Amino acid sequence: MLKVKVYADRMSQPSRAVLIFCKVNGIEFDEIKVEISKRQQLSPEFADINPFKKLPAIVDGRFKLFESHAILIYLASAFPGIPDHWYPADLSRRARVHSVLDWHHLNLRHGAAPFVLHTVLAPVLGLPLNPQAAAEAEKILISSLSKLENIWLKGNGRYLLGGLRPSIADLSLVCEIMQLELLDEKDQERILGPHKKVQQWIESTRDATRPHFDEVHKVLYKVKEIIRAKKSNQGDGVMQSRTKTPLASKM
Amino acid sequence: MLKVKVYADRMSQPSRAVIIFCKVNGIEFDEIKVEISKRQHLSPEFADINPFKKLPAIVDGRFKLFESHAILIYLASAFPGIPDHWYPADLSRRARVHSVLDWHHLNLRHGAAPFVLHTVLAPVFGLPLNPQAAAAAEKILISSLSKLENIWLKGSGRYLLGGLQPSIADLSLVCEIMQLELVDEKDRERILGPHKKVQQWIESTRNATRPHFDEVHKVLYKVKEIIRAKQSNQGDGVMQSRTKAPLASKM
């Protein structure tokens, strides 16, 4: 049986969501690493997979697909035996999942990704830091976290939309927030600290997808060390703890 | 039978897509006008419908939903007799529709809407124009139109993804581009002129949804006149043609 090919970089938040979803649900796949830091997504070979040159992308037989939400929906629908809570068959529950997934692009994604990039990650990719872009992105990020805390996480359940179990929306958005792990302790505390429900929700989602969640996020911690090493070498004078413990509960 | 309530402002591009979809497919609905220019979307009553205070939103019985793509998918799925081409049952065709809908948020929408707002529309809402934001948005808009021309509209069909008939993605994206009708002739020609396939695609979509497309877009032409009147009163010295002709084929 032809396995699905998943073109991914584990540094890419939406790539991680797709990988974790496959592993949790026993979907057999080949992970084909495309390294953004080496500009591999810009190769002509990859453009043949995704002309927009972005990750993740999948190939299922002759069918090529990109955009992580479209991929998650396709996998949840096309593979047998996937528990309903990931992508409910009920039309109104499903519609609500769509509404979070839609909201995400211009809110959490649009805040979190540029904020981390322009605050700490750019040098790893050989790009300059951009404090102005970081400041604008931070506003959007904080506003989005606030909306998650007060609107999307309202209700009895531990998950978005009052869900008792995670959907693909939970997985997508939590993987996005995990990128904040690259920031220093102080920034993480400042930004995430006020949002208790969000923190619990991250833990719940991580719990529901263990051990794959932590395994797929390992690279993030490695890159975090690289970032800290660079800062130390630049003599910023702050002692960095080089612990290898998994995600602190404060996150 | 309880009709669907559609909360909309026809000046809002995604509102138009939902209204046109309902009309074309004979979905009975009550259109409840929420005027953005009068800040009605910020009222406590509307916050009860959509806590994010955005348009469009629908109420179907006790079910409330916002985000236009989620709404279009819900309507296409929940109502009987809707032709398959709007939202195909086939999983891979459906996935491709999702991928355009996803791409839209941070591309065409993210370029077109701020460009029009910061170039001509802001005064109608009592906001100042912002040339810097307009310039930034224009880059994204032109890049998006180029991608539509060269990637999304590749293939034999007249519609996105090589489609022979329109999907909800065609309707959503074309309604977004129609907002460019508000900018002056010169800017429109500069921005849209190079993209022949895009122009044909707009015409095809308009044709496939007549007469509703033109009827729903009427308000746009009224606001266009208001903008031009303001510009004339400010003595900018340029003669504006006050024609009431429907959408020129150049658009």
Side-chain angles (χ1 to χ4, degrees):
Chain A
M1 189 191 89
L2 264 185
K3 289 191 210 170
V4 178
K5 293 187 180 119
V6 178
Y7 294 77
D9 181 336
R10 293 181 178 205
M11 282 305 294
S12 138
Q13 307 84 309
S15 288
R16 295 196 293 264
V18 171
L19 290 171
I20 294 167
F21 184 78
C22 288
K23 288 171 180 270
V24 168
N25 287 294
I27 295 172
E28 288 199 42
F29 69 101
D30 287 324
E31 180 178 352
I32 298 168
K33 293 190 200 252
V34 180
E35 284 186 65
I36 296 172
S37 62
K38 295 178 184 168
R39 308 281 190 275
Q40 289 175 352
Q41 81 281 15
L42 303 178
S43 72
E45 295 77 25
F46 185 67
D48 194 52
I49 303 294
N50 178 5
F52 290 93
K53 308 180 186 185
K54 298 207 180 220
L55 296 169
I58 65 166
V59 179
D60 188 14
R62 287 180 311 172
F63 174 56
K64 298 172 188 173
L65 186 64
F66 49 88
E67 282 294 338
S68 69
H69 294 172
I71 292 171
L72 288 165
I73 291 172
Y74 173 79
L75 294 173
S77 308
F79 282 80
I82 308 248
D84 184 74
H85 60 81
W86 285 112
Y87 188 60
D90 174 80
L91 287 183
S92 18
R93 289 181 59 206
R94 176 173 287 197
R96 289 198 179 101
V97 171
H98 289 151
S99 68
V100 191
L101 290 171
D102 287 348
W103 173 88
H104 176 54
H105 296 276
L106 280 163
N107 289 275
L108 182 62
R109 172 75 172 162
H110 191 40
F115 178 68
V116 175
L117 180 67
H118 294 303
T119 306
V120 292
L121 192 53
V124 174
L125 301 173
L127 299 165
L129 291 174
N130 184 336
Q132 195 188 351
E136 284 168 23
E138 188 180 333
K139 283 194 197 119
I140 298 170
L141 170 58
I142 287 177
S143 167
S144 301
L145 290 171
S146 180
K147 286 170 177 155
L148 281 161
E149 185 80 8
N150 297 309
I151 303 178
W152 290 119
L153 289 167
K154 253 173 122 161
N156 300 335
R158 302 159 156 233
Y159 299 99
L160 298 170
L161 303 159
L164 299 170
R165 288 166 135 190
S167 71
I168 53 178
D170 296 280
L171 190 52
S172 172
L173 274 66
V174 169
C175 283
E176 190 67 52
I177 298 182
M178 285 301 288
Q179 207 78 341
L180 296 180
E181 189 59 25
L182 294 172
L183 304 170
D184 66 40
E185 224 24 67
K186 238 175 27 148
D187 280 339
Q188 273 182 53
E189 175 57 35
R190 181 171 56 78
I191 290 168
L192 269 178
H195 304 103
K196 302 301 177 197
K197 279 198 211 168
V198 168
Q199 293 172 47
Q200 282 163 4
W201 163 61
I202 294 167
E203 271 309 297
S204 299
T205 304
R206 184 178 163 229
D207 221 55
T209 54
R210 69 145 74 108
H212 309 290
F213 190 95
D214 284 341
E215 192 266 312
V216 170
H217 279 89
K218 264 202 198 130
V219 68
L220 214 55
Y221 299 107
K222 286 194 191 143
V223 172
K224 186 175 182 169
E225 290 302 305
I226 293 170
I227 291 170
R228 290 194 166 177
K230 282 196 176 199
K231 278 193 195 160
S232 294
N233 288 346
Q234 280 159 13
D236 70 338
V238 178
M239 283 293 293
Q240 304 290 350
S241 92
R242 292 165 102 40
T243 176
K244 286 203 181 91
T245 50
L247 186 56
S249 63
K250 193 175 293 182
M251 179 62 195
Chain B
M1 189 191 89
L2 266 184
K3 287 190 211 171
V4 177
K5 293 187 180 121
V6 177
Y7 293 77
D9 181 337
R10 293 182 178 202
M11 283 304 293
S12 139
Q13 308 84 309
S15 288
R16 295 195 293 265
V18 171
I19 294 172
I20 293 168
F21 184 78
C22 287
K23 287 175 180 270
V24 168
N25 288 293
I27 294 171
E28 290 201 39
F29 69 103
D30 287 324
E31 180 178 351
I32 298 167
K33 292 190 202 260
V34 180
E35 287 192 55
I36 297 172
S37 61
K38 294 179 184 168
R39 308 277 191 274
Q40 290 176 352
H41 57 303
L42 302 177
S43 72
E45 294 78 26
F46 185 66
D48 194 52
I49 303 293
N50 178 5
F52 290 92
K53 307 179 185 185
K54 297 209 181 214
L55 296 169
I58 64 165
V59 179
D60 188 14
R62 288 179 312 174
F63 173 57
K64 299 172 188 172
L65 186 64
F66 49 86
E67 282 294 338
S68 68
H69 294 171
I71 292 172
L72 288 166
I73 291 172
Y74 173 78
L75 294 173
S77 308
F79 282 81
I82 308 248
D84 184 73
H85 62 79
W86 285 112
Y87 189 59
D90 174 81
L91 287 183
S92 17
R93 288 180 61 205
R94 175 173 287 197
R96 290 198 179 100
V97 170
H98 289 150
S99 67
V100 190
L101 290 171
D102 287 349
W103 172 87
H104 177 52
H105 295 276
L106 281 163
N107 289 276
L108 182 62
R109 173 75 173 162
H110 191 40
F115 175 70
V116 175
L117 180 66
H118 294 301
T119 305
V120 292
L121 194 53
V124 175
F125 296 128
L127 299 165
L129 292 174
N130 185 336
Q132 195 187 352
E138 188 180 331
K139 286 200 192 112
I140 299 170
L141 170 58
I142 286 176
S143 165
S144 302
L145 289 172
S146 180
K147 287 172 176 152
L148 281 160
E149 185 79 8
N150 298 309
I151 304 178
W152 290 120
L153 288 167
K154 255 173 120 161
S156 320
R158 304 160 156 230
Y159 299 100
L160 297 169
L161 304 158
L164 299 171
Q165 285 180 285
S167 71
I168 53 177
D170 296 280
L171 190 52
S172 172
L173 274 66
V174 168
C175 283
E176 190 67 52
I177 298 182
M178 284 302 288
Q179 207 78 341
L180 293 179
E181 190 61 24
L182 294 172
V183 306
D184 66 42
E185 218 31 64
K186 242 181 17 154
D187 281 337
R188 268 214 323 281
E189 176 55 35
R190 180 170 57 77
I191 289 167
L192 270 177
H195 304 102
K196 303 301 178 198
K197 279 198 213 166
V198 168
Q199 291 172 49
Q200 283 164 2
W201 162 60
I202 294 167
E203 270 311 295
S204 299
T205 303
R206 184 180 164 228
N207 229 300
T209 53
R210 67 146 72 111
H212 310 289
F213 190 95
D214 285 341
E215 191 266 312
V216 171
H217 279 88
K218 263 199 196 134
V219 68
L220 214 55
Y221 300 108
K222 286 192 190 145
V223 173
K224 184 174 180 168
E225 291 302 306
I226 293 170
I227 290 170
R228 290 195 167 177
K230 283 196 177 198
Q231 284 173 345
S232 295
N233 287 346
Q234 281 159 10
D236 69 338
V238 179
M239 282 295 291
Q240 303 292 349
S241 92
R242 291 163 106 34
T243 176
K244 287 203 180 87
L247 185 57
S249 62
K250 193 174 296 183
M251 178 60 196

